[in-house]
Amino acid sequence: MADLRADVVVLGAGPGGYSAAFRAADLGRSVVLVERYPALGGVCLNVGCIPSKALLHVAEVMAAARDLAEAGVDFGAPKLDLAKLRARKDAVVAQLGGGLAKMAEQRGVRVVTGTGSFAGPQRLDVATAEGSVAIEFARAIVAAGSRAVQLPDFPDDPRVLDSTSALALDVVPQRLLVVGGGVIGLELATVYEALGADVTIVEALDRLMPGPDPDLVRPLQRRLEPRLAAIHLRTKVTAVEARADGLLVAFEGEKAPAGDLFDRVLVAVGRRPNGDRIGAEAAGIRVGERGFVAVDERLATNLPHVFAIGDVARAPLLAHKASHEGKAAAEAACDLRVAFDARAIPSVAYTDPEVAWVGVTESDARAQKIEVDVARFPWAASGRALGMGRSEGMTKLLFAKDTKRLVGAGIVGPHAGDLIGECALAIELGADAEDIALTVHPHPTLGETIGLAAEVAAGTVTDLYLPRRSR
Amino acid sequence: MAEREIKLPDIGDFDGVEVIELLVKAGDRVAAEQSLLVLESDKATMEIPSPVAGVVRKLLVGVGDVVREGTPIALLEVEGVGEGIEPATPAVEAPASASPDASPQDAPSSADLAPYTVDAPHPAAHAGPSVRRLARELGVDLALVPGRGPKGRILEEDVQGYVKALIAQGGGGASVPIAGVHVAAPVDVDFAKFGPVQSEALNRVRRVASANLHRSWVTVPHVTQFDDADVTELESFRQDHRAEAEARGTKLTFLPFLVKAVVKALQEFPHFNASLDRSGENLIVKRYFHIGVAVDTEHGLVVPVVRDADRKSLFELAAELQQLSEKARARRLRPEQLQGGSFSISSLGGIGGTRFTPIVNHPEVAILGVSRMEWKPVWRDGAFVPRRILPLSLSYDHRVIDGADGARFTGRLAALLADLRRILL
């Protein structure tokens, strides 16, 4: 006997899950949203994107204030009230979470708090604080997200952090080791560096931040290097020993440093989808080895009435991809003829400077044998960037040689993440270099660099002198 | 050695096509482009080639299976490094990297993030997200929709217009009632009452042909113009050059001469090489000369198309016609070899009969039927002389072509066949 019945049950209330639930409700379905934590919003809202951005904003303003000393304005050393900062971050999270709960109520979406697990092809059991609740459903949308990868052999010690505990901001350690030079590691390194920690980054690969082209990461690395204690590439952590006076870390690699003592070690080596934690076998849902639930373009799993979205379905593990997939899956679950067919999904590292990219990168183009024309506009030629004292930025556009249309873009510099949306729109609409170049961009802005990079591609730029490209 | 799953490539405008023959078995070594299996669609059979060389480990489909684009058809042990990597495979199992919520240390190369990149090598339809969504709702393949926005961009109106046109044509598999036509309901007779009978299902080729012929018969006002061509000289010229053709490995039949003469006549009468648009208000005159040639096969009638017949020599036409008819009989024509015709020829000369009235191959506007050539006494200069006479039957769409032009066309064609040197004039 089922305790609840729903047209659509959504497992997980992250950005993908709540979008799916709300959309299905708006399409007139009875919806039950299952979430293991009391707050809606998932990792992104509670322990991911939102709190990290609240802190990164603080870090950015602190860095800008510090930079102003060169411009003749010295604020002196900042005074940090960690409890107040934490409270501000928590207030942002609480405000958004409260908004979600309110919207769920307004839509008549029933929220069940507890850990859900499939008990059959049409049944989900939820372990709640009040006991087990059985939900019978016609359609299910799995939005169970992902979790931080733990490294084996690391001690079970409160001083070993993951992104969640790092964002809790209990303390600003004197010496912080960040294991993993990817986006999450670099963002948190940025926060803790600004707050005064001595940050060391260790990365197994030969570069920071795989994903975007190296030329987009270089300005970030150049800015980080003098601010951080050290960046060790091609280096692995071989042992972490918990001692009373700190965590003793041993390294391995060509240029590995000697063992060293840290107050905290943050592990940011990736995330793993939660496909192994949803009771998939009981329903007969196919889950791949790495824990992703395989889906088709409608987001349907091997069971036609069960859909999967977001981190648990496939890469990239990004909130904005999840919420778009969530809507598409909700519509598919309501038998609308839809699919998720976005041509490009932007990625942003909210570091300082920010790194943002969308569509194909130059290395993708090489790997996929797509012939592209690459146009770069250095921010050193942007009056606005110079005025901000941030000439290290760069805007790069990739146009397919055959169609002339934009297929990829990369931006490094402050607010790159806010700028990349225009490039995503241009890719979706099939804009070519002339379309972008002939679109009047306001001056002087950072966004103008996109129009100017397109002018470089079109051969009409006058803000740079490129003798051979002119037509 | 890497194992690679071979998926059915884009096979054109077909959804759900039957496998009728397997050309390889497990353990076979195949070259790149070697055919793996044969599919039968509404109109044609097509061979599906292997994209790479390798050894067939396992076939994933059998005869009778219905497949569509993307259906896995075989597992291949691929030879050579790197060849097993499919370009831009949607890596559903791709590990996460390059994202605020994703990995660093065990990070994969960025190529693993392929699922959402733009596939520029096969330029996707030039249409924005909302138009793509609309097309999906309506089940429209955007590759078939002409874009009328700037730079060929497909707009919402283009999708709507395309669907309206389909409905108007009764195309896309749908059928539309034709106003004003009332016929008695089909009779349902139990023939077994009158004697032993046997029911045979029409094969696919015949079912499709039947629907097309019926549409043409009902919607096109047909007129058939008869004429005779004196091909005495042409026939002796052909006989004289048969040996030369055979030396080149082709059989010089009469058909290539007919194609040549028809193309010349079409160039002089361009309205015979045309189609009415769907509104019926505009004539689309084609600047190309793709000639369909009806081929009788044991599975039914098929009409492969000789492209750009105006640019081919007699020997080239002879060789191509021979090849097309062999392929048609072996059910090995590809869909594109059956599309794009601008005029058709149906020859029953090899079988017999004096005249027949062919049905116009809609949306073309005319079709030439030829029957068996015969020695006939022809009154010439006060005496009967024996001449080889070829009977011509030209059916045309009277909405486009007037009777006088019909007679002029066949007259001109007969003159060209009587003395092919006129083509040079």
Side-chain angles (χ1 to χ4, degrees), chain A residues 184 271 314 343 428 432, chain B residues 100-101 116 125 132-133 151:
Chain A
I184 299 175
R271 297 187 65 85
R314 54 190 174 181
R343 290 191 173 162
E428 288 289 354
D432 61 20
Chain B
D101 292 331
Y116 303 115
R132 303 205 299 269
R133 167 173 279 244
K151 297 175 186 171

Side-chain angles (χ1 to χ4, degrees), chain B residues 6-29:
Chain B
I6 307 300
K7 293 194 169 118
L8 194 67
D10 181 4
I11 50 169
D13 188 19
F14 297 107
D15 189 38
V17 181
E18 199 176 318
V19 177
I20 60 164
E21 192 180 345
L22 300 173
L23 301 174
V24 294
K25 57 185 187 307
D28 283 1
R29 176 174 299 276

